[in-house]
């Protein structure tokens, strides 16, 4: 299996935590204005399950909490109920802008990572996989927390805008439950929804007005950091 992607353009990212009544009003507005993305099911949403990796000293978590200008984190991800193909993603932030590189893995390869058997990463001869291998060995990067949520996502071509509403954010007691999301019963947000708006060079006025919520300001909101509360 091959397919490491080139780095995507650096993007802006805004995040809010919103209440159920705010979610109800906002989602109704967005559905009238923008199409859902291709992953959407019949109800317009789909499940996302991610496994975050970190060092024994929590480098990714601490850099996030400290607001370090240049930081990165690795995660595995799959959509819906089918973990037979996974995305390995390296997310990075530089001076407030976000970027991402990714590669595809099979479920078997994901299970080998969980089992602490990463040698296959070098066999693939892909730069991102080689980088992960050296960080697993050199920085002792390892699976730390699995996170699951239900996502409703909207697209708007001008500005390459993506708006997501992540609901029912939940986690479990072990990162080894990555392939068993039914074991995720801990909910750090107590019913709140995470609103994210990502865009390239500019945010169109239509989107700016559509996502406007009175008395709300953009704030840092890391689902990984929230779910680490249960360590």
């Amino acid at each position: 299996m091959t397919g490491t992607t080139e780095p995507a353009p650096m993007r802006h990212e805004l995040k809010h935590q919103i209440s159920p009544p705010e979610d109800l009003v906002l989602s109704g507005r967005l559905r009238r204005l923008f199409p859902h993305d291709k992953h959407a099911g019949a109800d317009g949403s789909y499940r996302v399950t991610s496994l975050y990796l970190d060092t024994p000293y929590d480098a990714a978590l601490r850099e996030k909490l400290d607001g370090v200008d240049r930081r990165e984190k690795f995660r595995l991800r799959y959509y819906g109920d089918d973990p037979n193909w996974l995305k390995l993603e390296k997310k990075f932030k530089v001076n407030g802008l976000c970027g991402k590189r990714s590669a595809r893995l099979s479920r078997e390869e994901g299970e080998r990572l969980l089992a602490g058997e990463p040698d296959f990463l070098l066999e693939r001869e892909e730069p991102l996989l080689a980088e992960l291998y050296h960080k697993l060995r050199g920085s002792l990067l390892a699976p730390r927390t699995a996170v699951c949520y239900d996502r409703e996502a909207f697209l708007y071509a001008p500005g390459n805008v993506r708006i997501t509403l992540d609901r029912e954010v939940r986690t479990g007691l072990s990162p080894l439950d990555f392939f068993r999301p039914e074991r995720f019963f801990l909910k750090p947000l107590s019913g709140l929804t995470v609103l994210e708006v990502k865009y390239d060079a500019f945010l169109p006025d239509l989107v700016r007005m559509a996502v406007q919520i009175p008395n709300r300001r953009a704030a840092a909101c890391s689902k990984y950091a929230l779910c680490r509360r249960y360590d």
Side-chain angles (χ1 to χ4, degrees), residues 140-174:
L140 301 182
L141 203 66
R144 291 303 302 266
T145 299
V147 179
C148 185
Y149 48 88
D150 302 314
R151 166 167 285 181
E152 185 171 8
F154 303 88
L155 305 176
Y156 187 57
N160 190 24
V161 177
R162 181 175 173 83
I163 307 163
T164 56
L165 295 167
D166 295 337
R167 306 183 178 99
E168 294 292 317
V169 177
R170 50 206 185 270
T171 187
L173 295 175
S174 170

PDB file of all heavy atoms in Angstrom, residues 140-174:
ATOM      1  N   LEU A 140      10.606   8.004  21.528  1.00  0.00           N
ATOM      2  CA  LEU A 140       9.720   7.070  22.241  1.00  0.00           C
ATOM      3  C   LEU A 140       8.251   7.460  22.093  1.00  0.00           C
ATOM      4  O   LEU A 140       7.445   7.281  23.010  1.00  0.00           O
ATOM      5  CB  LEU A 140      10.110   6.975  23.715  1.00  0.00           C
ATOM      6  CG  LEU A 140      11.552   6.509  23.998  1.00  0.00           C
ATOM      7  CD1 LEU A 140      11.787   6.408  25.492  1.00  0.00           C
ATOM      8  CD2 LEU A 140      11.839   5.176  23.312  1.00  0.00           C
ATOM      9  N   LEU A 141       7.937   8.004  20.919  1.00  0.00           N
ATOM     10  CA  LEU A 141       6.542   8.297  20.606  1.00  0.00           C
ATOM     11  C   LEU A 141       5.742   7.001  20.701  1.00  0.00           C
ATOM     12  O   LEU A 141       6.202   5.945  20.267  1.00  0.00           O
ATOM     13  CB  LEU A 141       6.461   8.875  19.192  1.00  0.00           C
ATOM     14  CG  LEU A 141       5.269   9.737  18.806  1.00  0.00           C
ATOM     15  CD1 LEU A 141       5.265  11.024  19.593  1.00  0.00           C
ATOM     16  CD2 LEU A 141       5.316  10.030  17.309  1.00  0.00           C
ATOM     17  N   ALA A 142       4.520   7.077  21.253  1.00  0.00           N
ATOM     18  CA  ALA A 142       3.714   5.870  21.444  1.00  0.00           C
ATOM     19  C   ALA A 142       2.241   6.259  21.505  1.00  0.00           C
ATOM     20  O   ALA A 142       1.900   7.420  21.785  1.00  0.00           O
ATOM     21  CB  ALA A 142       4.123   5.153  22.732  1.00  0.00           C
ATOM     22  N   PRO A 143       1.319   5.312  21.241  1.00  0.00           N
ATOM     23  CA  PRO A 143      -0.111   5.606  21.368  1.00  0.00           C
ATOM     24  C   PRO A 143      -0.446   6.058  22.780  1.00  0.00           C
ATOM     25  O   PRO A 143      -0.030   5.432  23.761  1.00  0.00           O
ATOM     26  CB  PRO A 143      -0.767   4.259  21.042  1.00  0.00           C
ATOM     27  CG  PRO A 143       0.228   3.537  20.188  1.00  0.00           C
ATOM     28  CD  PRO A 143       1.560   3.939  20.739  1.00  0.00           C
ATOM     29  N   ARG A 144      -1.225   7.156  22.878  1.00  0.00           N
ATOM     30  CA  ARG A 144      -1.561   7.689  24.201  1.00  0.00           C
ATOM     31  C   ARG A 144      -3.055   7.742  24.464  1.00  0.00           C
ATOM     32  O   ARG A 144      -3.519   7.371  25.539  1.00  0.00           O
ATOM     33  CB  ARG A 144      -0.970   9.094  24.375  1.00  0.00           C
ATOM     34  CG  ARG A 144       0.535   9.131  24.473  1.00  0.00           C
ATOM     35  CD  ARG A 144       1.053   8.254  25.611  1.00  0.00           C
ATOM     36  NE  ARG A 144       0.515   8.613  26.909  1.00  0.00           N
ATOM     37  CZ  ARG A 144       1.118   9.437  27.766  1.00  0.00           C
ATOM     38  NH1 ARG A 144       2.275   9.992  27.437  1.00  0.00           N
ATOM     39  NH2 ARG A 144       0.576   9.699  28.933  1.00  0.00           N
ATOM     40  N   THR A 145      -3.829   8.224  23.500  1.00  0.00           N
ATOM     41  CA  THR A 145      -5.264   8.420  23.742  1.00  0.00           C
ATOM     42  C   THR A 145      -6.037   8.220  22.449  1.00  0.00           C
ATOM     43  O   THR A 145      -5.645   8.730  21.400  1.00  0.00           O
ATOM     44  CB  THR A 145      -5.547   9.840  24.281  1.00  0.00           C
ATOM     45  OG1 THR A 145      -4.866  10.007  25.526  1.00  0.00           O
ATOM     46  CG2 THR A 145      -7.026  10.067  24.508  1.00  0.00           C
ATOM     47  N   ALA A 146      -7.151   7.491  22.542  1.00  0.00           N
ATOM     48  CA  ALA A 146      -8.075   7.344  21.416  1.00  0.00           C
ATOM     49  C   ALA A 146      -9.293   8.238  21.663  1.00  0.00           C
ATOM     50  O   ALA A 146      -9.779   8.340  22.787  1.00  0.00           O
ATOM     51  CB  ALA A 146      -8.499   5.892  21.262  1.00  0.00           C
ATOM     52  N   VAL A 147      -9.754   8.871  20.596  1.00  0.00           N
ATOM     53  CA  VAL A 147     -10.855   9.833  20.678  1.00  0.00           C
ATOM     54  C   VAL A 147     -11.866   9.506  19.586  1.00  0.00           C
ATOM     55  O   VAL A 147     -11.487   9.197  18.453  1.00  0.00           O
ATOM     56  CB  VAL A 147     -10.340  11.280  20.496  1.00  0.00           C
ATOM     57  CG1 VAL A 147     -11.487  12.279  20.556  1.00  0.00           C
ATOM     58  CG2 VAL A 147      -9.281  11.618  21.541  1.00  0.00           C
ATOM     59  N   CYS A 148     -13.135   9.593  19.924  1.00  0.00           N
ATOM     60  CA  CYS A 148     -14.196   9.295  18.962  1.00  0.00           C
ATOM     61  C   CYS A 148     -15.260  10.388  19.053  1.00  0.00           C
ATOM     62  O   CYS A 148     -15.513  10.918  20.140  1.00  0.00           O
ATOM     63  CB  CYS A 148     -14.797   7.932  19.289  1.00  0.00           C
ATOM     64  SG  CYS A 148     -16.037   7.343  18.121  1.00  0.00           S
ATOM     65  N   TYR A 149     -15.871  10.741  17.922  1.00  0.00           N
ATOM     66  CA  TYR A 149     -16.949  11.728  17.929  1.00  0.00           C
ATOM     67  C   TYR A 149     -17.753  11.599  16.645  1.00  0.00           C
ATOM     68  O   TYR A 149     -17.342  10.935  15.688  1.00  0.00           O
ATOM     69  CB  TYR A 149     -16.403  13.157  18.079  1.00  0.00           C
ATOM     70  CG  TYR A 149     -15.262  13.509  17.173  1.00  0.00           C
ATOM     71  CD1 TYR A 149     -15.480  14.019  15.898  1.00  0.00           C
ATOM     72  CD2 TYR A 149     -13.939  13.324  17.589  1.00  0.00           C
ATOM     73  CE1 TYR A 149     -14.409  14.332  15.064  1.00  0.00           C
ATOM     74  CE2 TYR A 149     -12.872  13.632  16.759  1.00  0.00           C
ATOM     75  CZ  TYR A 149     -13.119  14.138  15.504  1.00  0.00           C
ATOM     76  OH  TYR A 149     -12.070  14.443  14.676  1.00  0.00           O
ATOM     77  N   ASP A 150     -18.896  12.240  16.638  1.00  0.00           N
ATOM     78  CA  ASP A 150     -19.782  12.256  15.472  1.00  0.00           C
ATOM     79  C   ASP A 150     -19.657  13.624  14.808  1.00  0.00           C
ATOM     80  O   ASP A 150     -19.885  14.645  15.454  1.00  0.00           O
ATOM     81  CB  ASP A 150     -21.223  11.985  15.885  1.00  0.00           C
ATOM     82  CG  ASP A 150     -21.358  10.655  16.609  1.00  0.00           C
ATOM     83  OD1 ASP A 150     -20.792   9.670  16.108  1.00  0.00           O
ATOM     84  OD2 ASP A 150     -21.995  10.609  17.677  1.00  0.00           O
ATOM     85  N   ARG A 151     -19.328  13.625  13.528  1.00  0.00           N
ATOM     86  CA  ARG A 151     -19.011  14.866  12.811  1.00  0.00           C
ATOM     87  C   ARG A 151     -20.035  15.157  11.724  1.00  0.00           C
ATOM     88  O   ARG A 151     -20.403  14.281  10.937  1.00  0.00           O
ATOM     89  CB  ARG A 151     -17.620  14.768  12.192  1.00  0.00           C
ATOM     90  CG  ARG A 151     -17.299  15.838  11.160  1.00  0.00           C
ATOM     91  CD  ARG A 151     -15.824  15.882  10.816  1.00  0.00           C
ATOM     92  NE  ARG A 151     -15.078  16.518  11.897  1.00  0.00           N
ATOM     93  CZ  ARG A 151     -13.748  16.725  11.873  1.00  0.00           C
ATOM     94  NH1 ARG A 151     -13.044  16.292  10.835  1.00  0.00           N
ATOM     95  NH2 ARG A 151     -13.150  17.324  12.881  1.00  0.00           N
ATOM     96  N   GLU A 152     -20.477  16.409  11.692  1.00  0.00           N
ATOM     97  CA  GLU A 152     -21.256  16.931  10.579  1.00  0.00           C
ATOM     98  C   GLU A 152     -20.393  18.000   9.924  1.00  0.00           C
ATOM     99  O   GLU A 152     -19.977  18.950  10.596  1.00  0.00           O
ATOM    100  CB  GLU A 152     -22.588  17.511  11.049  1.00  0.00           C
ATOM    101  CG  GLU A 152     -23.490  17.949   9.906  1.00  0.00           C
ATOM    102  CD  GLU A 152     -24.897  18.337  10.348  1.00  0.00           C
ATOM    103  OE1 GLU A 152     -25.139  18.406  11.572  1.00  0.00           O
ATOM    104  OE2 GLU A 152     -25.737  18.582   9.458  1.00  0.00           O
ATOM    105  N   ALA A 153     -20.125  17.845   8.638  1.00  0.00           N
ATOM    106  CA  ALA A 153     -19.178  18.725   7.964  1.00  0.00           C
ATOM    107  C   ALA A 153     -19.818  19.371   6.738  1.00  0.00           C
ATOM    108  O   ALA A 153     -20.583  18.735   6.012  1.00  0.00           O
ATOM    109  CB  ALA A 153     -17.928  17.953   7.546  1.00  0.00           C
ATOM    110  N   PHE A 154     -19.475  20.644   6.503  1.00  0.00           N
ATOM    111  CA  PHE A 154     -20.005  21.425   5.391  1.00  0.00           C
ATOM    112  C   PHE A 154     -18.844  22.010   4.598  1.00  0.00           C
ATOM    113  O   PHE A 154     -17.789  22.320   5.150  1.00  0.00           O
ATOM    114  CB  PHE A 154     -20.882  22.566   5.909  1.00  0.00           C
ATOM    115  CG  PHE A 154     -22.018  22.122   6.782  1.00  0.00           C
ATOM    116  CD1 PHE A 154     -21.837  21.981   8.147  1.00  0.00           C
ATOM    117  CD2 PHE A 154     -23.269  21.840   6.244  1.00  0.00           C
ATOM    118  CE1 PHE A 154     -22.881  21.563   8.971  1.00  0.00           C
ATOM    119  CE2 PHE A 154     -24.315  21.434   7.053  1.00  0.00           C
ATOM    120  CZ  PHE A 154     -24.121  21.295   8.415  1.00  0.00           C
ATOM    121  N   LEU A 155     -19.062  22.197   3.287  1.00  0.00           N
ATOM    122  CA  LEU A 155     -18.028  22.718   2.399  1.00  0.00           C
ATOM    123  C   LEU A 155     -18.514  23.977   1.702  1.00  0.00           C
ATOM    124  O   LEU A 155     -19.699  24.130   1.406  1.00  0.00           O
ATOM    125  CB  LEU A 155     -17.655  21.666   1.347  1.00  0.00           C
ATOM    126  CG  LEU A 155     -17.223  20.297   1.854  1.00  0.00           C
ATOM    127  CD1 LEU A 155     -16.993  19.359   0.681  1.00  0.00           C
ATOM    128  CD2 LEU A 155     -15.981  20.407   2.721  1.00  0.00           C
ATOM    129  N   TYR A 156     -17.550  24.868   1.424  1.00  0.00           N
ATOM    130  CA  TYR A 156     -17.840  26.061   0.623  1.00  0.00           C
ATOM    131  C   TYR A 156     -16.594  26.336  -0.205  1.00  0.00           C
ATOM    132  O   TYR A 156     -15.514  26.598   0.345  1.00  0.00           O
ATOM    133  CB  TYR A 156     -18.187  27.240   1.525  1.00  0.00           C
ATOM    134  CG  TYR A 156     -18.665  28.464   0.788  1.00  0.00           C
ATOM    135  CD1 TYR A 156     -19.767  28.422  -0.070  1.00  0.00           C
ATOM    136  CD2 TYR A 156     -18.019  29.697   0.957  1.00  0.00           C
ATOM    137  CE1 TYR A 156     -20.215  29.551  -0.733  1.00  0.00           C
ATOM    138  CE2 TYR A 156     -18.457  30.829   0.296  1.00  0.00           C
ATOM    139  CZ  TYR A 156     -19.556  30.750  -0.542  1.00  0.00           C
ATOM    140  OH  TYR A 156     -19.995  31.886  -1.201  1.00  0.00           O
ATOM    141  N   ALA A 157     -16.720  26.254  -1.531  1.00  0.00           N
ATOM    142  CA  ALA A 157     -15.543  26.306  -2.407  1.00  0.00           C
ATOM    143  C   ALA A 157     -14.749  27.602  -2.308  1.00  0.00           C
ATOM    144  O   ALA A 157     -13.516  27.563  -2.219  1.00  0.00           O
ATOM    145  CB  ALA A 157     -15.964  26.042  -3.854  1.00  0.00           C
ATOM    146  N   PRO A 158     -15.374  28.800  -2.337  1.00  0.00           N
ATOM    147  CA  PRO A 158     -14.573  30.018  -2.194  1.00  0.00           C
ATOM    148  C   PRO A 158     -13.835  30.031  -0.852  1.00  0.00           C
ATOM    149  O   PRO A 158     -14.442  29.861   0.205  1.00  0.00           O
ATOM    150  CB  PRO A 158     -15.629  31.128  -2.245  1.00  0.00           C
ATOM    151  CG  PRO A 158     -16.767  30.543  -3.015  1.00  0.00           C
ATOM    152  CD  PRO A 158     -16.794  29.095  -2.619  1.00  0.00           C
ATOM    153  N   GLY A 159     -12.541  30.188  -0.920  1.00  0.00           N
ATOM    154  CA  GLY A 159     -11.736  30.145   0.298  1.00  0.00           C
ATOM    155  C   GLY A 159     -11.418  28.727   0.761  1.00  0.00           C
ATOM    156  O   GLY A 159     -10.744  28.545   1.773  1.00  0.00           O
ATOM    157  N   ASN A 160     -11.908  27.710   0.010  1.00  0.00           N
ATOM    158  CA  ASN A 160     -11.690  26.311   0.390  1.00  0.00           C
ATOM    159  C   ASN A 160     -12.077  26.091   1.855  1.00  0.00           C
ATOM    160  O   ASN A 160     -11.306  25.584   2.666  1.00  0.00           O
ATOM    161  CB  ASN A 160     -10.226  25.914   0.169  1.00  0.00           C
ATOM    162  CG  ASN A 160     -10.008  24.413   0.308  1.00  0.00           C
ATOM    163  OD1 ASN A 160     -10.928  23.621   0.141  1.00  0.00           O
ATOM    164  ND2 ASN A 160      -8.781  24.035   0.632  1.00  0.00           N
ATOM    165  N   VAL A 161     -13.302  26.476   2.182  1.00  0.00           N
ATOM    166  CA  VAL A 161     -13.768  26.467   3.571  1.00  0.00           C
ATOM    167  C   VAL A 161     -14.344  25.103   3.931  1.00  0.00           C
ATOM    168  O   VAL A 161     -15.051  24.475   3.145  1.00  0.00           O
ATOM    169  CB  VAL A 161     -14.841  27.555   3.785  1.00  0.00           C
ATOM    170  CG1 VAL A 161     -15.380  27.494   5.211  1.00  0.00           C
ATOM    171  CG2 VAL A 161     -14.266  28.938   3.489  1.00  0.00           C
ATOM    172  N   ARG A 162     -14.046  24.682   5.125  1.00  0.00           N
ATOM    173  CA  ARG A 162     -14.626  23.466   5.702  1.00  0.00           C
ATOM    174  C   ARG A 162     -15.104  23.794   7.106  1.00  0.00           C
ATOM    175  O   ARG A 162     -14.317  24.265   7.942  1.00  0.00           O
ATOM    176  CB  ARG A 162     -13.587  22.344   5.721  1.00  0.00           C
ATOM    177  CG  ARG A 162     -14.099  21.017   6.282  1.00  0.00           C
ATOM    178  CD  ARG A 162     -13.003  19.968   6.135  1.00  0.00           C
ATOM    179  NE  ARG A 162     -13.352  18.725   6.802  1.00  0.00           N
ATOM    180  CZ  ARG A 162     -14.117  17.776   6.270  1.00  0.00           C
ATOM    181  NH1 ARG A 162     -14.623  17.941   5.060  1.00  0.00           N
ATOM    182  NH2 ARG A 162     -14.380  16.666   6.929  1.00  0.00           N
ATOM    183  N   ILE A 163     -16.376  23.554   7.365  1.00  0.00           N
ATOM    184  CA  ILE A 163     -16.982  23.824   8.665  1.00  0.00           C
ATOM    185  C   ILE A 163     -17.389  22.490   9.260  1.00  0.00           C
ATOM    186  O   ILE A 163     -18.078  21.700   8.608  1.00  0.00           O
ATOM    187  CB  ILE A 163     -18.218  24.729   8.524  1.00  0.00           C
ATOM    188  CG1 ILE A 163     -17.881  26.004   7.749  1.00  0.00           C
ATOM    189  CG2 ILE A 163     -18.793  25.076   9.901  1.00  0.00           C
ATOM    190  CD1 ILE A 163     -19.116  26.732   7.236  1.00  0.00           C
ATOM    191  N   THR A 164     -16.984  22.217  10.481  1.00  0.00           N
ATOM    192  CA  THR A 164     -17.339  20.947  11.110  1.00  0.00           C
ATOM    193  C   THR A 164     -17.969  21.182  12.471  1.00  0.00           C
ATOM    194  O   THR A 164     -17.579  22.083  13.215  1.00  0.00           O
ATOM    195  CB  THR A 164     -16.115  20.027  11.266  1.00  0.00           C
ATOM    196  OG1 THR A 164     -15.089  20.703  11.994  1.00  0.00           O
ATOM    197  CG2 THR A 164     -15.580  19.606   9.914  1.00  0.00           C
ATOM    198  N   LEU A 165     -18.943  20.332  12.781  1.00  0.00           N
ATOM    199  CA  LEU A 165     -19.570  20.277  14.099  1.00  0.00           C
ATOM    200  C   LEU A 165     -19.295  18.888  14.667  1.00  0.00           C
ATOM    201  O   LEU A 165     -19.782  17.886  14.134  1.00  0.00           O
ATOM    202  CB  LEU A 165     -21.078  20.523  13.987  1.00  0.00           C
ATOM    203  CG  LEU A 165     -21.501  21.915  13.499  1.00  0.00           C
ATOM    204  CD1 LEU A 165     -22.980  21.925  13.119  1.00  0.00           C
ATOM    205  CD2 LEU A 165     -21.223  22.966  14.572  1.00  0.00           C
ATOM    206  N   ASP A 166     -18.485  18.818  15.706  1.00  0.00           N
ATOM    207  CA  ASP A 166     -18.098  17.539  16.303  1.00  0.00           C
ATOM    208  C   ASP A 166     -18.869  17.355  17.608  1.00  0.00           C
ATOM    209  O   ASP A 166     -18.699  18.123  18.558  1.00  0.00           O
ATOM    210  CB  ASP A 166     -16.594  17.487  16.551  1.00  0.00           C
ATOM    211  CG  ASP A 166     -15.803  17.516  15.255  1.00  0.00           C
ATOM    212  OD1 ASP A 166     -16.370  17.135  14.212  1.00  0.00           O
ATOM    213  OD2 ASP A 166     -14.628  17.909  15.285  1.00  0.00           O
ATOM    214  N   ARG A 167     -19.704  16.311  17.638  1.00  0.00           N
ATOM    215  CA  ARG A 167     -20.604  16.084  18.771  1.00  0.00           C
ATOM    216  C   ARG A 167     -20.250  14.780  19.492  1.00  0.00           C
ATOM    217  O   ARG A 167     -19.639  13.884  18.916  1.00  0.00           O
ATOM    218  CB  ARG A 167     -22.050  16.013  18.276  1.00  0.00           C
ATOM    219  CG  ARG A 167     -22.484  17.223  17.458  1.00  0.00           C
ATOM    220  CD  ARG A 167     -23.961  17.116  17.066  1.00  0.00           C
ATOM    221  NE  ARG A 167     -24.419  18.289  16.323  1.00  0.00           N
ATOM    222  CZ  ARG A 167     -24.536  18.337  14.999  1.00  0.00           C
ATOM    223  NH1 ARG A 167     -24.221  17.263  14.269  1.00  0.00           N
ATOM    224  NH2 ARG A 167     -24.953  19.435  14.390  1.00  0.00           N
ATOM    225  N   GLU A 168     -20.675  14.706  20.735  1.00  0.00           N
ATOM    226  CA  GLU A 168     -20.492  13.484  21.529  1.00  0.00           C
ATOM    227  C   GLU A 168     -19.019  13.055  21.551  1.00  0.00           C
ATOM    228  O   GLU A 168     -18.698  11.882  21.310  1.00  0.00           O
ATOM    229  CB  GLU A 168     -21.369  12.345  20.992  1.00  0.00           C
ATOM    230  CG  GLU A 168     -22.854  12.574  21.148  1.00  0.00           C
ATOM    231  CD  GLU A 168     -23.307  12.558  22.607  1.00  0.00           C
ATOM    232  OE1 GLU A 168     -22.849  11.688  23.369  1.00  0.00           O
ATOM    233  OE2 GLU A 168     -24.088  13.446  22.978  1.00  0.00           O
ATOM    234  N   VAL A 169     -18.132  14.002  21.826  1.00  0.00           N
ATOM    235  CA  VAL A 169     -16.711  13.669  21.932  1.00  0.00           C
ATOM    236  C   VAL A 169     -16.541  12.703  23.110  1.00  0.00           C
ATOM    237  O   VAL A 169     -17.006  12.954  24.221  1.00  0.00           O
ATOM    238  CB  VAL A 169     -15.865  14.934  22.151  1.00  0.00           C
ATOM    239  CG1 VAL A 169     -14.395  14.561  22.339  1.00  0.00           C
ATOM    240  CG2 VAL A 169     -16.030  15.885  20.975  1.00  0.00           C
ATOM    241  N   ARG A 170     -15.858  11.572  22.840  1.00  0.00           N
ATOM    242  CA  ARG A 170     -15.736  10.557  23.874  1.00  0.00           C
ATOM    243  C   ARG A 170     -14.398   9.826  23.765  1.00  0.00           C
ATOM    244  O   ARG A 170     -13.766   9.816  22.707  1.00  0.00           O
ATOM    245  CB  ARG A 170     -16.889   9.564  23.793  1.00  0.00           C
ATOM    246  CG  ARG A 170     -17.139   8.982  22.401  1.00  0.00           C
ATOM    247  CD  ARG A 170     -18.598   8.556  22.254  1.00  0.00           C
ATOM    248  NE  ARG A 170     -18.867   7.881  20.987  1.00  0.00           N
ATOM    249  CZ  ARG A 170     -19.240   8.522  19.862  1.00  0.00           C
ATOM    250  NH1 ARG A 170     -19.361   9.834  19.856  1.00  0.00           N
ATOM    251  NH2 ARG A 170     -19.506   7.825  18.760  1.00  0.00           N
ATOM    252  N   THR A 171     -13.998   9.217  24.843  1.00  0.00           N
ATOM    253  CA  THR A 171     -12.740   8.480  24.899  1.00  0.00           C
ATOM    254  C   THR A 171     -12.903   7.293  25.826  1.00  0.00           C
ATOM    255  O   THR A 171     -13.943   7.130  26.483  1.00  0.00           O
ATOM    256  CB  THR A 171     -11.581   9.390  25.362  1.00  0.00           C
ATOM    257  OG1 THR A 171     -10.345   8.689  25.243  1.00  0.00           O
ATOM    258  CG2 THR A 171     -11.755   9.826  26.812  1.00  0.00           C
ATOM    259  N   GLY A 172     -11.869   6.445  25.883  1.00  0.00           N
ATOM    260  CA  GLY A 172     -11.886   5.280  26.758  1.00  0.00           C
ATOM    261  C   GLY A 172     -10.712   5.308  27.707  1.00  0.00           C
ATOM    262  O   GLY A 172      -9.989   6.304  27.811  1.00  0.00           O
ATOM    263  N   LEU A 173     -10.497   4.204  28.371  1.00  0.00           N
ATOM    264  CA  LEU A 173      -9.439   4.126  29.371  1.00  0.00           C
ATOM    265  C   LEU A 173      -8.112   3.670  28.799  1.00  0.00           C
ATOM    266  O   LEU A 173      -7.091   3.754  29.466  1.00  0.00           O
ATOM    267  CB  LEU A 173      -9.863   3.182  30.503  1.00  0.00           C
ATOM    268  CG  LEU A 173     -11.072   3.652  31.321  1.00  0.00           C
ATOM    269  CD1 LEU A 173     -11.470   2.584  32.336  1.00  0.00           C
ATOM    270  CD2 LEU A 173     -10.772   4.965  32.014  1.00  0.00           C
ATOM    271  N   SER A 174      -8.114   3.181  27.538  1.00  0.00           N
ATOM    272  CA  SER A 174      -6.878   2.654  26.953  1.00  0.00           C
ATOM    273  C   SER A 174      -6.786   3.019  25.478  1.00  0.00           C
ATOM    274  O   SER A 174      -7.781   2.876  24.750  1.00  0.00           O
ATOM    275  CB  SER A 174      -6.836   1.135  27.097  1.00  0.00           C
ATOM    276  OG  SER A 174      -5.771   0.580  26.337  1.00  0.00           O
TER     277      SER A 174
END
